[in-house]
Amino acid sequence: SAVISQKPSRDICQRGTSLTIQCQVDSQVTMMFWYRQQPGQSLTLIATANQGSEATYESGFVIDKFPISRPNLTFSTLTVSNMSPEDSSIYLCSVEYSGDQPQHFGDGTRLSIL
Amino acid sequence: DAKTTQPPSMDCAEGRAANLPCNHSTISGNEYVYWYRQIHSQGPQYIIHGLKNNETNEMASLIITEDRKSSTLILPHATLRDTAVYYCIVRPRTGTASKLTFGTGTRLQVTL
């Protein structure tokens, strides 16, 4: 399975600031996804990161708040913009090689906003 | 996507088999059953998946009923390290990647 590295692993930020989270995979993958896990909750998909085009966002998530880049087949970034305490969550990257293969997850970025 | 129903929590003694049930009564013919687990402070870990036949790998066995409306994940000899939240997910087989919809899962506590 893929080795997925997320940076930073955790951060504490001030409200109103923005943070960019990086996801690096050790091999080329077809699909990359970004999920959010709020405290005590399950995972919710934010968006699908598309290589060379705009990300596909799920209902309730918008590009202005969560801009995503995917410049190549091994790397993606998620920015959490204009943060508020409600954005305190774990943000997880996942990758997939093809539609019939399982997704694999990084260990996430634990974000706290003061 | 079809929805799944799992018990919120289960206990299992170390060394015994852990049998985690999942109900997916509205599953359609082209949908797989996937199982993931999430150990505290880690990302979800893929365990196993299947379409209609029973599956086994080094981690677990997946038993799917003949009508495909329910399944059971079996950890044959549970250890303390198997304590985690286990998610049963139904996902279409589309040929292209599709999102995973996580429910609330089953919190498995393995005890001495």
Side-chain angles (χ1 to χ4, degrees):
Chain A
S1 63
V3 176
I4 304 164
S5 301
Q6 276 189 242
K7 291 182 180 180
S9 59
R10 59 176 62 232
D11 208 340
I12 301 172
C13 301
Q14 297 295 320
R15 69 175 65 201
T17 63
S18 299
L19 179 75
T20 296
I21 302 167
Q22 299 180 359
C23 179
Q24 178 75 55
V25 195
D26 67 340
S27 58
Q28 293 184 347
V29 294
T30 304
M31 304 294 288
M32 298 182 77
F33 304 87
W34 287 98
Y35 289 79
R36 180 177 72 180
Q37 188 170 27
Q38 295 178 297
Q41 303 296 312
S42 186
L43 282 77
T44 301
L45 180 66
I46 297 172
T48 303
N50 300 310
Q51 195 264 329
S53 64
E54 194 171 283
T56 304
Y57 289 85
E58 297 297 305
S59 176
F61 298 97
V62 296
I63 188 171
D64 290 345
K65 177 66 175 178
F66 298 102
I68 289 170
S69 77
R70 191 179 171 195
N72 56 50
L73 294 177
T74 64
F75 185 78
S76 178
T77 66
L78 168 74
T79 299
V80 186
S81 303
N82 188 25
M83 289 183 286
S84 67
E86 293 72 33
D87 295 320
S88 296
S89 296
I90 301 172
Y91 293 86
L92 299 113
C93 167
S94 75
V95 304
E96 188 172 308
Y97 291 97
S98 69
D100 290 342
Q101 297 299 312
Q103 285 184 26
H104 296 280
F105 288 79
D107 279 338
T109 296
R110 188 177 297 270
L111 186 57
S112 298
I113 292 89
L114 303 178
Chain B
D1 293 349
K3 293 184 178 179
T4 62
T5 304
Q6 299 178 252
S9 64
M10 294 181 64
D11 292 330
C12 180
E14 189 176 35
R16 305 297 291 270
N19 297 283
L20 292 92
C22 180
N23 182 288
H24 32 80
S25 59
T26 60
I27 193 170
S28 63
N30 70 336
E31 290 179 318
Y32 282 93
V33 179
Y34 278 77
W35 283 84
Y36 283 79
R37 72 180 182 184
Q38 188 173 24
I39 298 170
H40 184 62
S41 297
Q42 298 180 20
Q45 178 189 23
Y46 165 76
I47 301 172
I48 199 167
H49 73 285
L51 186 62
K52 55 182 179 180
N53 296 322
N54 298 337
E55 302 287 345
T56 295
N57 63 21
E58 65 279 3
M59 290 183 66
S61 294
L62 174 60
I63 308 298
I64 303 174
T65 58
E66 191 169 345
D67 64 7
R68 301 187 69 240
K69 293 184 177 182
S70 64
S71 61
T72 301
L73 179 74
I74 301 172
L75 308 178
H77 305 286
T79 71
L80 297 178
R81 288 178 293 181
D82 292 320
T83 293
V85 178
Y86 288 76
Y87 296 99
C88 170
I89 300 168
V90 170
R91 182 190 185 203
R93 179 185 186 187
T94 64
T96 59
S98 60
K99 67 179 181 180
L100 295 173
T101 302
F102 285 79
T104 53
T106 295
R107 184 174 299 275
L108 176 68
Q109 180 69 53
V110 181
T111 57
L112 291 172

Tab-separated table of all heavy atoms in Angstrom, chain A residues 10 30-31 33 35 37 41-45 48 58 90 92 96 98-108 110, chain B residues 32 34 36 38 40-46 49 87 91-105:
chain	number	residue	atom	x	y	z
A	10	ARG	N	0.415	18.273	13.391
A	10	ARG	CA	-0.487	19.030	14.255
A	10	ARG	C	-0.060	20.486	14.268
A	10	ARG	O	1.092	20.799	13.971
A	10	ARG	CB	-0.524	18.470	15.663
A	10	ARG	CG	0.818	18.457	16.376
A	10	ARG	CD	0.663	17.972	17.815
A	10	ARG	NE	0.161	16.606	17.868
A	10	ARG	CZ	-0.897	16.227	18.594
A	10	ARG	NH1	-1.567	17.116	19.292
A	10	ARG	NH2	-1.280	14.967	18.624
A	30	THR	N	-3.999	7.603	-8.701
A	30	THR	CA	-5.031	8.157	-9.567
A	30	THR	C	-5.797	9.263	-8.865
A	30	THR	O	-6.016	10.346	-9.416
A	30	THR	CB	-5.998	7.049	-10.008
A	30	THR	OG1	-5.266	6.010	-10.629
A	30	THR	CG2	-7.048	7.583	-10.971
A	31	MET	N	-6.232	8.980	-7.652
A	31	MET	CA	-7.116	9.902	-6.961
A	31	MET	C	-6.547	10.278	-5.596
A	31	MET	O	-5.911	9.461	-4.922
A	31	MET	CB	-8.496	9.269	-6.749
A	31	MET	CG	-9.160	8.780	-8.021
A	31	MET	SD	-9.573	10.118	-9.151
A	31	MET	CE	-10.928	10.872	-8.278
A	33	PHE	N	-7.947	12.466	-2.024
A	33	PHE	CA	-9.126	13.007	-1.367
A	33	PHE	C	-8.715	13.710	-0.072
A	33	PHE	O	-7.713	13.351	0.552
A	33	PHE	CB	-10.119	11.888	-0.999
A	33	PHE	CG	-10.560	11.035	-2.154
A	33	PHE	CD1	-9.827	9.922	-2.537
A	33	PHE	CD2	-11.722	11.324	-2.837
A	33	PHE	CE1	-10.241	9.111	-3.588
A	33	PHE	CE2	-12.152	10.530	-3.895
A	33	PHE	CZ	-11.405	9.422	-4.269
A	35	TYR	N	-10.431	14.682	3.743
A	35	TYR	CA	-11.527	14.449	4.680
A	35	TYR	C	-11.323	15.324	5.913
A	35	TYR	O	-10.199	15.700	6.262
A	35	TYR	CB	-11.563	12.985	5.139
A	35	TYR	CG	-11.998	11.982	4.098
A	35	TYR	CD1	-11.121	11.535	3.115
A	35	TYR	CD2	-13.285	11.450	4.117
A	35	TYR	CE1	-11.517	10.589	2.174
A	35	TYR	CE2	-13.684	10.496	3.189
A	35	TYR	CZ	-12.795	10.079	2.213
A	35	TYR	OH	-13.193	9.141	1.300
A	37	GLN	N	-12.386	15.321	10.123
A	37	GLN	CA	-12.952	14.579	11.251
A	37	GLN	C	-13.035	15.522	12.443
A	37	GLN	O	-12.029	15.829	13.079
A	37	GLN	CB	-12.110	13.350	11.592
A	37	GLN	CG	-12.755	12.459	12.630
A	37	GLN	CD	-12.040	11.131	12.800
A	37	GLN	OE1	-10.847	11.021	12.557
A	37	GLN	NE2	-12.777	10.099	13.202
A	41	GLN	N	-16.319	12.805	16.134
A	41	GLN	CA	-17.182	12.473	15.000
A	41	GLN	C	-16.483	11.533	14.026
A	41	GLN	O	-15.300	11.235	14.155
A	41	GLN	CB	-17.588	13.757	14.265
A	41	GLN	CG	-18.281	14.789	15.131
A	41	GLN	CD	-19.606	14.295	15.672
A	41	GLN	OE1	-20.417	13.755	14.911
A	41	GLN	NE2	-19.824	14.453	16.961
A	42	SER	N	-17.262	11.112	13.025
A	42	SER	CA	-16.715	10.289	11.964
A	42	SER	C	-16.114	11.175	10.879
A	42	SER	O	-16.110	12.404	10.996
A	42	SER	CB	-17.836	9.409	11.403
A	42	SER	OG	-17.323	8.502	10.478
A	43	LEU	N	-15.609	10.559	9.830
A	43	LEU	CA	-14.974	11.313	8.756
A	43	LEU	C	-16.009	11.807	7.755
A	43	LEU	O	-16.971	11.099	7.432
A	43	LEU	CB	-13.972	10.433	8.004
A	43	LEU	CG	-12.617	10.172	8.645
A	43	LEU	CD1	-12.723	9.136	9.741
A	43	LEU	CD2	-11.613	9.744	7.595
A	44	THR	N	-15.765	13.009	7.245
A	44	THR	CA	-16.603	13.604	6.205
A	44	THR	C	-15.710	14.037	5.051
A	44	THR	O	-14.708	14.718	5.270
A	44	THR	CB	-17.360	14.824	6.743
A	44	THR	OG1	-18.180	14.426	7.849
A	44	THR	CG2	-18.243	15.434	5.661
A	45	LEU	N	-16.089	13.669	3.838
A	45	LEU	CA	-15.306	14.050	2.668
A	45	LEU	C	-15.472	15.540	2.388
A	45	LEU	O	-16.601	16.039	2.307
A	45	LEU	CB	-15.741	13.236	1.451
A	45	LEU	CG	-15.000	13.521	0.152
A	45	LEU	CD1	-13.534	13.114	0.262
A	45	LEU	CD2	-15.665	12.812	-1.015
A	48	THR	N	-12.542	16.042	-3.634
A	48	THR	CA	-11.646	15.219	-4.427
A	48	THR	C	-10.654	16.141	-5.113
A	48	THR	O	-11.069	17.087	-5.802
A	48	THR	CB	-12.431	14.417	-5.473
A	48	THR	OG1	-13.415	13.616	-4.807
A	48	THR	CG2	-11.510	13.521	-6.284
A	58	GLU	N	-17.649	18.604	-1.973
A	58	GLU	CA	-18.892	18.020	-1.475
A	58	GLU	C	-19.800	19.132	-0.960
A	58	GLU	O	-19.363	20.265	-0.688
A	58	GLU	CB	-18.596	17.021	-0.368
A	58	GLU	CG	-17.778	15.834	-0.827
A	58	GLU	CD	-18.492	14.990	-1.875
A	58	GLU	OE1	-19.628	14.551	-1.617
A	58	GLU	OE2	-17.903	14.782	-2.955
A	90	ILE	N	-9.420	17.118	12.752
A	90	ILE	CA	-8.335	16.396	12.106
A	90	ILE	C	-8.633	16.393	10.608
A	90	ILE	O	-9.751	16.072	10.198
A	90	ILE	CB	-8.229	14.951	12.621
A	90	ILE	CG1	-8.006	14.947	14.128
A	90	ILE	CG2	-7.103	14.212	11.906
A	90	ILE	CD1	-8.075	13.567	14.752
A	92	LEU	N	-7.588	14.811	6.999
A	92	LEU	CA	-6.926	13.601	6.499
A	92	LEU	C	-6.904	13.557	4.982
A	92	LEU	O	-7.885	13.896	4.325
A	92	LEU	CB	-7.632	12.348	7.016
A	92	LEU	CG	-7.657	12.180	8.536
A	92	LEU	CD1	-9.078	12.314	9.054
A	92	LEU	CD2	-7.101	10.820	8.936
A	96	GLU	N	-5.934	6.751	-3.805
A	96	GLU	CA	-6.459	5.540	-4.419
A	96	GLU	C	-5.814	5.357	-5.786
A	96	GLU	O	-5.616	6.332	-6.524
A	96	GLU	CB	-7.968	5.652	-4.568
A	96	GLU	CG	-8.648	4.388	-5.012
A	96	GLU	CD	-10.145	4.534	-4.946
A	96	GLU	OE1	-10.665	4.925	-3.900
A	96	GLU	OE2	-10.792	4.282	-5.973
A	98	SER	N	-7.037	2.992	-8.195
A	98	SER	CA	-8.077	2.780	-9.200
A	98	SER	C	-9.389	2.547	-8.470
A	98	SER	O	-9.417	2.337	-7.263
A	98	SER	CB	-7.751	1.585	-10.097
A	98	SER	OG	-7.837	0.387	-9.360
A	99	GLY	N	-10.483	2.568	-9.227
A	99	GLY	CA	-11.806	2.512	-8.622
A	99	GLY	C	-12.108	1.239	-7.861
A	99	GLY	O	-12.962	1.228	-6.994
A	100	ASP	N	-11.454	0.155	-8.175
A	100	ASP	CA	-11.732	-1.099	-7.493
A	100	ASP	C	-10.731	-1.414	-6.397
A	100	ASP	O	-10.734	-2.513	-5.850
A	100	ASP	CB	-11.731	-2.249	-8.511
A	100	ASP	CG	-12.937	-2.168	-9.437
A	100	ASP	OD1	-13.902	-1.468	-9.079
A	100	ASP	OD2	-12.909	-2.785	-10.504
A	101	GLN	N	-9.880	-0.476	-6.087
A	101	GLN	CA	-8.883	-0.664	-5.042
A	101	GLN	C	-9.257	0.156	-3.814
A	101	GLN	O	-9.951	1.161	-3.915
A	101	GLN	CB	-7.503	-0.239	-5.550
A	101	GLN	CG	-7.005	-1.058	-6.715
A	101	GLN	CD	-6.870	-2.520	-6.353
A	101	GLN	OE1	-6.299	-2.854	-5.321
A	101	GLN	NE2	-7.415	-3.392	-7.179
A	102	PRO	N	-8.809	-0.291	-2.639
A	102	PRO	CA	-9.154	0.479	-1.435
A	102	PRO	C	-8.421	1.805	-1.364
A	102	PRO	O	-7.339	1.954	-1.913
A	102	PRO	CB	-8.718	-0.452	-0.300
A	102	PRO	CG	-7.703	-1.347	-0.895
A	102	PRO	CD	-8.060	-1.525	-2.333
A	103	GLN	N	-9.028	2.753	-0.697
A	103	GLN	CA	-8.347	4.000	-0.368
A	103	GLN	C	-7.461	3.776	0.847
A	103	GLN	O	-7.770	2.984	1.734
A	103	GLN	CB	-9.366	5.097	-0.036
A	103	GLN	CG	-10.078	5.660	-1.221
A	103	GLN	CD	-10.999	6.806	-0.870
A	103	GLN	OE1	-10.803	7.515	0.133
A	103	GLN	NE2	-12.013	7.005	-1.696
A	104	HIS	N	-6.345	4.511	0.837
A	104	HIS	CA	-5.430	4.465	1.976
A	104	HIS	C	-5.270	5.876	2.517
A	104	HIS	O	-5.222	6.836	1.741
A	104	HIS	CB	-4.085	3.875	1.556
A	104	HIS	CG	-4.187	2.449	1.115
A	104	HIS	ND1	-4.244	1.393	2.000
A	104	HIS	CD2	-4.275	1.904	-0.130
A	104	HIS	CE1	-4.350	0.261	1.329
A	104	HIS	NE2	-4.373	0.536	0.038
A	105	PHE	N	-5.164	5.955	3.839
A	105	PHE	CA	-5.186	7.238	4.514
A	105	PHE	C	-3.855	7.578	5.156
A	105	PHE	O	-3.134	6.690	5.637
A	105	PHE	CB	-6.253	7.233	5.617
A	105	PHE	CG	-7.656	7.267	5.106
A	105	PHE	CD1	-8.264	6.131	4.620
A	105	PHE	CD2	-8.368	8.454	5.117
A	105	PHE	CE1	-9.564	6.163	4.136
A	105	PHE	CE2	-9.672	8.502	4.645
A	105	PHE	CZ	-10.270	7.352	4.154
A	106	GLY	N	-3.568	8.881	5.182
A	106	GLY	CA	-2.494	9.363	6.024
A	106	GLY	C	-2.970	9.427	7.469
A	106	GLY	O	-4.139	9.161	7.766
A	107	ASP	N	-2.061	9.800	8.362
A	107	ASP	CA	-2.406	9.862	9.774
A	107	ASP	C	-3.042	11.181	10.177
A	107	ASP	O	-3.396	11.375	11.336
A	107	ASP	CB	-1.182	9.588	10.644
A	107	ASP	CG	-0.905	8.100	10.770
A	107	ASP	OD1	-1.846	7.307	10.570
A	107	ASP	OD2	0.245	7.722	11.047
A	108	GLY	N	-3.184	12.104	9.230
A	108	GLY	CA	-3.950	13.306	9.496
A	108	GLY	C	-3.144	14.444	10.087
A	108	GLY	O	-2.011	14.276	10.556
A	110	ARG	N	-3.766	17.306	12.931
A	110	ARG	CA	-4.638	17.710	14.038
A	110	ARG	C	-4.519	19.214	14.218
A	110	ARG	O	-3.458	19.718	14.585
A	110	ARG	CB	-4.236	16.976	15.307
A	110	ARG	CG	-5.187	17.179	16.479
A	110	ARG	CD	-4.734	16.344	17.668
A	110	ARG	NE	-4.767	14.927	17.374
A	110	ARG	CZ	-5.801	14.137	17.578
A	110	ARG	NH1	-6.917	14.644	18.072
A	110	ARG	NH2	-5.731	12.841	17.312
B	32	TYR	N	-19.675	-2.911	-3.247
B	32	TYR	CA	-18.799	-3.671	-2.383
B	32	TYR	C	-19.064	-3.321	-0.920
B	32	TYR	O	-19.513	-2.226	-0.593
B	32	TYR	CB	-17.336	-3.325	-2.676
B	32	TYR	CG	-16.752	-3.978	-3.903
B	32	TYR	CD1	-16.777	-3.341	-5.142
B	32	TYR	CD2	-16.142	-5.226	-3.814
B	32	TYR	CE1	-16.211	-3.930	-6.254
B	32	TYR	CE2	-15.567	-5.826	-4.923
B	32	TYR	CZ	-15.615	-5.178	-6.150
B	32	TYR	OH	-15.059	-5.761	-7.243
B	34	TYR	N	-16.822	-2.671	2.346
B	34	TYR	CA	-15.466	-2.381	2.801
B	34	TYR	C	-15.465	-2.267	4.327
B	34	TYR	O	-16.421	-1.783	4.920
B	34	TYR	CB	-14.982	-1.038	2.235
B	34	TYR	CG	-14.448	-1.086	0.830
B	34	TYR	CD1	-15.304	-1.157	-0.259
B	34	TYR	CD2	-13.079	-1.047	0.604
B	34	TYR	CE1	-14.800	-1.193	-1.558
B	34	TYR	CE2	-12.566	-1.083	-0.687
B	34	TYR	CZ	-13.430	-1.152	-1.760
B	34	TYR	OH	-12.926	-1.190	-3.031
B	36	TYR	N	-12.942	-0.709	7.391
B	36	TYR	CA	-11.775	0.056	7.848
B	36	TYR	C	-11.809	0.087	9.370
B	36	TYR	O	-12.866	-0.098	9.987
B	36	TYR	CB	-11.824	1.508	7.335
B	36	TYR	CG	-11.445	1.686	5.896
B	36	TYR	CD1	-12.339	1.390	4.876
B	36	TYR	CD2	-10.178	2.164	5.554
B	36	TYR	CE1	-11.985	1.568	3.541
B	36	TYR	CE2	-9.816	2.347	4.232
B	36	TYR	CZ	-10.719	2.046	3.239
B	36	TYR	OH	-10.360	2.218	1.918
B	38	GLN	N	-10.086	2.535	12.760
B	38	GLN	CA	-9.340	3.720	13.129
B	38	GLN	C	-8.909	3.583	14.585
B	38	GLN	O	-9.741	3.617	15.492
B	38	GLN	CB	-10.158	4.998	12.932
B	38	GLN	CG	-9.347	6.264	13.124
B	38	GLN	CD	-10.116	7.520	12.764
B	38	GLN	OE1	-11.337	7.541	12.796
B	38	GLN	NE2	-9.385	8.584	12.404
B	40	HIS	N	-6.901	5.038	17.761
B	40	HIS	CA	-6.811	6.398	18.288
B	40	HIS	C	-5.592	7.149	17.750
B	40	HIS	O	-4.489	6.626	17.760
B	40	HIS	CB	-6.774	6.346	19.811
B	40	HIS	CG	-6.769	7.708	20.442
B	40	HIS	ND1	-7.809	8.606	20.286
B	40	HIS	CD2	-5.847	8.331	21.187
B	40	HIS	CE1	-7.526	9.705	20.947
B	40	HIS	NE2	-6.338	9.569	21.488
B	41	SER	N	-5.843	8.362	17.273
B	41	SER	CA	-4.798	9.274	16.791
B	41	SER	C	-4.155	8.825	15.481
B	41	SER	O	-3.090	9.314	15.123
B	41	SER	CB	-3.696	9.461	17.839
B	41	SER	OG	-4.220	10.058	18.999
B	42	GLN	N	-4.787	7.890	14.788
B	42	GLN	CA	-4.280	7.479	13.491
B	42	GLN	C	-5.346	7.646	12.421
B	42	GLN	O	-6.530	7.786	12.726
B	42	GLN	CB	-3.814	6.021	13.531
B	42	GLN	CG	-2.666	5.761	14.490
B	42	GLN	CD	-2.243	4.305	14.479
B	42	GLN	OE1	-2.526	3.567	13.538
B	42	GLN	NE2	-1.552	3.888	15.523
B	43	GLY	N	-4.923	7.622	11.158
B	43	GLY	CA	-5.884	7.617	10.074
B	43	GLY	C	-6.533	6.254	9.926
B	43	GLY	O	-6.022	5.245	10.428
B	44	PRO	N	-7.674	6.181	9.252
B	44	PRO	CA	-8.324	4.878	9.039
B	44	PRO	C	-7.401	3.913	8.304
B	44	PRO	O	-6.676	4.298	7.386
B	44	PRO	CB	-9.548	5.239	8.194
B	44	PRO	CG	-9.840	6.664	8.521
B	44	PRO	CD	-8.493	7.282	8.732
B	45	GLN	N	-7.484	2.660	8.708
B	45	GLN	CA	-6.676	1.594	8.116
B	45	GLN	C	-7.585	0.637	7.375
B	45	GLN	O	-8.563	0.127	7.947
B	45	GLN	CB	-5.915	0.854	9.218
B	45	GLN	CG	-5.074	-0.311	8.725
B	45	GLN	CD	-4.504	-1.141	9.873
B	45	GLN	OE1	-5.028	-1.133	10.985
B	45	GLN	NE2	-3.426	-1.852	9.595
B	46	TYR	N	-7.287	0.386	6.127
B	46	TYR	CA	-8.056	-0.585	5.349
B	46	TYR	C	-7.861	-1.979	5.931
B	46	TYR	O	-6.738	-2.373	6.271
B	46	TYR	CB	-7.606	-0.552	3.892
B	46	TYR	CG	-8.057	-1.736	3.076
B	46	TYR	CD1	-9.376	-1.833	2.642
B	46	TYR	CD2	-7.182	-2.767	2.772
B	46	TYR	CE1	-9.796	-2.929	1.902
B	46	TYR	CE2	-7.601	-3.857	2.031
B	46	TYR	CZ	-8.908	-3.933	1.595
B	46	TYR	OH	-9.315	-5.024	0.872
B	49	HIS	N	-12.227	-6.089	1.930
B	49	HIS	CA	-13.473	-5.782	1.244
B	49	HIS	C	-13.923	-6.997	0.436
B	49	HIS	O	-13.117	-7.905	0.140
B	49	HIS	CB	-13.350	-4.541	0.349
B	49	HIS	CG	-12.556	-4.730	-0.912
B	49	HIS	ND1	-11.173	-4.820	-0.914
B	49	HIS	CD2	-12.941	-4.820	-2.206
B	49	HIS	CE1	-10.750	-4.939	-2.164
B	49	HIS	NE2	-11.793	-4.958	-2.969
B	87	TYR	N	-15.304	0.587	10.924
B	87	TYR	CA	-16.297	1.152	10.016
B	87	TYR	C	-16.618	0.160	8.900
B	87	TYR	O	-15.720	-0.346	8.229
B	87	TYR	CB	-15.781	2.435	9.370
B	87	TYR	CG	-15.531	3.577	10.322
B	87	TYR	CD1	-14.243	3.855	10.773
B	87	TYR	CD2	-16.575	4.377	10.764
B	87	TYR	CE1	-14.003	4.913	11.636
B	87	TYR	CE2	-16.342	5.437	11.631
B	87	TYR	CZ	-15.061	5.693	12.060
B	87	TYR	OH	-14.821	6.741	12.917
B	91	ARG	N	-19.803	0.680	-0.963
B	91	ARG	CA	-19.242	1.572	-1.975
B	91	ARG	C	-19.455	1.002	-3.374
B	91	ARG	O	-19.199	-0.183	-3.602
B	91	ARG	CB	-17.756	1.725	-1.707
B	91	ARG	CG	-17.031	2.655	-2.626
B	91	ARG	CD	-15.567	2.506	-2.382
B	91	ARG	NE	-14.821	3.475	-3.157
B	91	ARG	CZ	-13.559	3.322	-3.491
B	91	ARG	NH1	-12.916	2.234	-3.132
B	91	ARG	NH2	-12.936	4.236	-4.185
B	92	PRO	N	-19.920	1.826	-4.299
B	92	PRO	CA	-20.171	1.313	-5.653
B	92	PRO	C	-18.891	0.897	-6.359
B	92	PRO	O	-17.847	1.496	-6.188
B	92	PRO	CB	-20.809	2.502	-6.380
B	92	PRO	CG	-21.245	3.431	-5.318
B	92	PRO	CD	-20.311	3.222	-4.162
B	93	ARG	N	-19.036	-0.130	-7.161
B	93	ARG	CA	-17.956	-0.516	-8.067
B	93	ARG	C	-18.204	0.215	-9.374
B	93	ARG	O	-19.119	-0.122	-10.123
B	93	ARG	CB	-17.981	-2.026	-8.303
B	93	ARG	CG	-16.904	-2.502	-9.264
B	93	ARG	CD	-17.065	-3.974	-9.557
B	93	ARG	NE	-15.983	-4.489	-10.365
B	93	ARG	CZ	-15.938	-5.716	-10.880
B	93	ARG	NH1	-16.923	-6.550	-10.653
B	93	ARG	NH2	-14.912	-6.095	-11.598
B	94	THR	N	-17.431	1.253	-9.619
B	94	THR	CA	-17.717	2.102	-10.763
B	94	THR	C	-16.626	2.059	-11.820
B	94	THR	O	-16.813	2.545	-12.907
B	94	THR	CB	-17.852	3.564	-10.311
B	94	THR	OG1	-16.599	3.996	-9.786
B	94	THR	CG2	-18.929	3.700	-9.246
B	95	GLY	N	-15.487	1.521	-11.500
B	95	GLY	CA	-14.366	1.595	-12.430
B	95	GLY	C	-13.569	2.860	-12.239
B	95	GLY	O	-12.433	2.961	-12.660
B	96	THR	N	-14.169	3.831	-11.621
B	96	THR	CA	-13.439	5.035	-11.224
B	96	THR	C	-13.602	5.209	-9.726
B	96	THR	O	-14.543	4.686	-9.127
B	96	THR	CB	-13.967	6.298	-11.937
B	96	THR	OG1	-15.353	6.446	-11.620
B	96	THR	CG2	-13.797	6.171	-13.436
B	97	ALA	N	-12.717	5.948	-9.149
B	97	ALA	CA	-12.739	6.096	-7.694
B	97	ALA	C	-14.022	6.770	-7.237
B	97	ALA	O	-14.531	7.667	-7.905
B	97	ALA	CB	-11.532	6.895	-7.235
B	98	SER	N	-14.550	6.306	-6.150
B	98	SER	CA	-15.729	6.934	-5.571
B	98	SER	C	-15.481	7.161	-4.094
B	98	SER	O	-14.667	6.485	-3.477
B	98	SER	CB	-16.966	6.073	-5.782
B	98	SER	OG	-16.797	4.815	-5.188
B	99	LYS	N	-16.203	8.102	-3.553
B	99	LYS	CA	-15.938	8.502	-2.179
B	99	LYS	C	-16.372	7.428	-1.192
B	99	LYS	O	-17.229	6.602	-1.478
B	99	LYS	CB	-16.655	9.805	-1.862
B	99	LYS	CG	-18.178	9.688	-1.840
B	99	LYS	CD	-18.805	11.017	-1.502
B	99	LYS	CE	-20.322	10.913	-1.441
B	99	LYS	NZ	-20.948	12.210	-1.121
B	100	LEU	N	-15.765	7.451	-0.034
B	100	LEU	CA	-16.158	6.605	1.080
B	100	LEU	C	-17.060	7.413	1.992
B	100	LEU	O	-16.707	8.516	2.392
B	100	LEU	CB	-14.934	6.122	1.844
B	100	LEU	CG	-13.969	5.202	1.104
B	100	LEU	CD1	-12.726	4.958	1.949
B	100	LEU	CD2	-14.645	3.891	0.764
B	101	THR	N	-18.207	6.874	2.324
B	101	THR	CA	-19.113	7.533	3.256
B	101	THR	C	-19.048	6.794	4.587
B	101	THR	O	-19.526	5.668	4.702
B	101	THR	CB	-20.550	7.538	2.711
B	101	THR	OG1	-20.568	8.201	1.443
B	101	THR	CG2	-21.474	8.270	3.675
B	102	PHE	N	-18.435	7.450	5.574
B	102	PHE	CA	-18.241	6.837	6.879
B	102	PHE	C	-19.465	7.069	7.750
B	102	PHE	O	-19.963	8.183	7.855
B	102	PHE	CB	-17.015	7.443	7.573
B	102	PHE	CG	-15.700	6.977	7.022
B	102	PHE	CD1	-15.189	7.518	5.853
B	102	PHE	CD2	-14.980	5.996	7.675
B	102	PHE	CE1	-13.974	7.078	5.342
B	102	PHE	CE2	-13.762	5.558	7.172
B	102	PHE	CZ	-13.262	6.093	6.001
B	103	GLY	N	-19.929	5.985	8.385
B	103	GLY	CA	-20.941	6.112	9.423
B	103	GLY	C	-20.275	6.303	10.765
B	103	GLY	O	-19.125	6.749	10.844
B	104	THR	N	-20.983	5.945	11.813
B	104	THR	CA	-20.449	6.137	13.161
B	104	THR	C	-19.607	4.959	13.641
B	104	THR	O	-18.876	5.075	14.612
B	104	THR	CB	-21.576	6.397	14.162
B	104	THR	OG1	-22.535	5.343	14.050
B	104	THR	CG2	-22.268	7.729	13.863
B	105	GLY	N	-19.716	3.795	12.984
B	105	GLY	CA	-18.852	2.673	13.301
B	105	GLY	C	-19.169	1.981	14.608
B	105	GLY	O	-20.093	2.340	15.340
